[in-house]
Amino acid sequence: MRAPLAKVFQEEEAEEINMTPMLDVVFIMLIFFIVTASFVKEAGIDVNRPEAATAVKKQRTNILVAISDTGEIWINKRQVDIRAVQANIERLKAENPQGSVVIQADKKATTDTLIKVMDASRAAGAFDVSIAAQES
């Protein structure tokens, strides 16, 4: 009687599925997708950009500044006072020294606000400043 019981236990052990290789593959795929994912940065508001015939798409943009039609300035999804723009851009440039600044100004935004943001960007050490426009 002991022989059949031993066979049953051996068969049950042989039928177990080893999950370790499958978990390894899943974790490797997860790491791959996290590393290769590109994260979209947004300034915080949607603006109606003016059209330009010579508009060129930039490949890498790291610091986005948005100016609304009412003159509000947004950086990293939060509203910023004009006096704090330079400090915010300095902080973002310290995090990524190769980052360029792109200003997304609304069609109805005043040039006064745009010039103040550009001056603050250059004072912060960002000399690669662009203005976003839509392709016509």
Side-chain angles (χ1 to χ4, degrees):
M1 267 256 217
R2 291 220 180 250
L5 268 175
K7 278 187 176 181
V8 170
F9 286 127
Q10 286 178 354
E11 287 177 8
E12 284 181 14
E13 287 178 11
E15 291 176 5
E16 289 182 18
I17 298 174
N18 189 0
M19 299 293 286
T20 306
M22 185 182 76
L23 289 174
D24 289 344
V25 169
V26 169
F27 283 128
I28 289 171
M29 288 174 52
L30 179 67
I31 291 169
F32 173 76
F33 287 121
I34 288 173
V35 169
T36 59
S38 63
F39 299 101
V40 177
K41 290 189 175 190
E42 296 179 2
I45 58 172
D46 290 329
V47 294
N48 294 323
R49 295 177 290 179
E51 293 182 1
T54 59
V56 178
K57 187 172 185 174
K58 289 192 85 153
Q59 296 299 325
R60 291 198 59 171
T61 303
N62 296 320
I63 302 171
L64 294 176
V65 180
I67 303 172
S68 70
D69 56 347
T70 59
E72 297 172 337
I73 301 168
W74 291 77
I75 301 174
N76 281 347
K77 297 183 182 178
R78 60 187 177 90
Q79 190 174 356
V80 177
D81 188 50
I82 188 67
R83 296 172 295 217
V85 170
Q86 180 178 347
N88 279 289
I89 293 177
E90 283 175 351
R91 180 180 52 83
L92 293 170
K93 280 294 280 184
E95 291 174 7
N96 190 354
Q98 288 82 23
S100 63
V101 176
V102 174
I103 302 172
Q104 298 173 327
D106 194 276
K107 288 180 185 180
K108 297 178 183 175
T110 62
T111 55
D112 181 51
T113 308
L114 178 63
I115 296 299
K116 286 179 182 177
V117 171
M118 289 178 74
D119 285 343
S121 300
R122 289 194 178 116
F127 297 105
D128 186 12
V129 179
S130 304
I131 300 172
Q134 281 184 327
E135 295 180 35
S136 57

